[in-house]
Amino acid sequence: MVLMNKKAIMKLALMVFLLGFTANVVNARFDSTSFITQVLSNGDDVKSACCDTCLCTRSQPPTCRCVDVRESCHSACDKCVCAYSNPPQCQCYDTHNFCYKTCH
């Protein structure tokens, strides 16, 4: 009987730990406008995407990546990584064999 209670307590402790860990990892800054834009995109993402600093390798074909750091990634970015800062600092980690047009 005592062993059953210890197992139940251990399961409860593990569940509380996992819930606490998940709550700390999830980004609480949910921007509904960017979510709606991603879901309802009409294919214009590549046309409106831009990059001021694009680095490419000398290989054939080249591997290019936009290294701009901004408050949000460009519209066609699939792998956007943002720092937990205010304002957020985001960078796109997609690679292509081309560079997007310049923004400015």
Side-chain angles (χ1 to χ4, degrees):
M1 184 72 165
V2 174
L3 185 60
M4 295 290 281
N5 286 339
K6 286 185 179 180
K7 284 185 179 179
I9 291 173
M10 289 300 290
K11 287 181 182 178
L12 181 62
L14 180 62
M15 186 176 73
V16 169
F17 171 78
L18 290 175
L19 284 174
F21 180 77
T22 304
N24 285 329
V25 171
V26 172
N27 186 356
R29 294 178 294 174
F30 178 73
D31 184 10
S32 62
T33 58
S34 65
F35 176 73
I36 292 171
T37 303
Q38 290 175 7
V39 171
L40 299 177
S41 67
N42 59 3
D44 291 337
D45 290 343
V46 175
K47 293 178 188 172
S48 62
C50 63
C51 178
D52 287 329
T53 309
C54 183
L55 301 179
C56 297
T57 62
R58 293 183 181 198
S59 62
Q60 287 299 328
T63 302
C64 301
R65 188 170 78 84
C66 181
V67 293
D68 291 352
V69 177
R70 299 191 175 153
E71 288 188 23
S72 64
C73 292
H74 60 75
S75 57
C77 182
D78 291 327
K79 298 175 194 165
C80 184
V81 177
C82 296
Y84 293 106
S85 61
N86 191 10
Q89 294 182 342
C90 302
Q91 192 171 19
C92 185
Y93 283 88
D94 292 351
T95 57
H96 300 284
N97 59 354
F98 62 90
C99 288
Y100 292 106
K101 64 179 180 177
T102 58
C103 300
H104 296 101

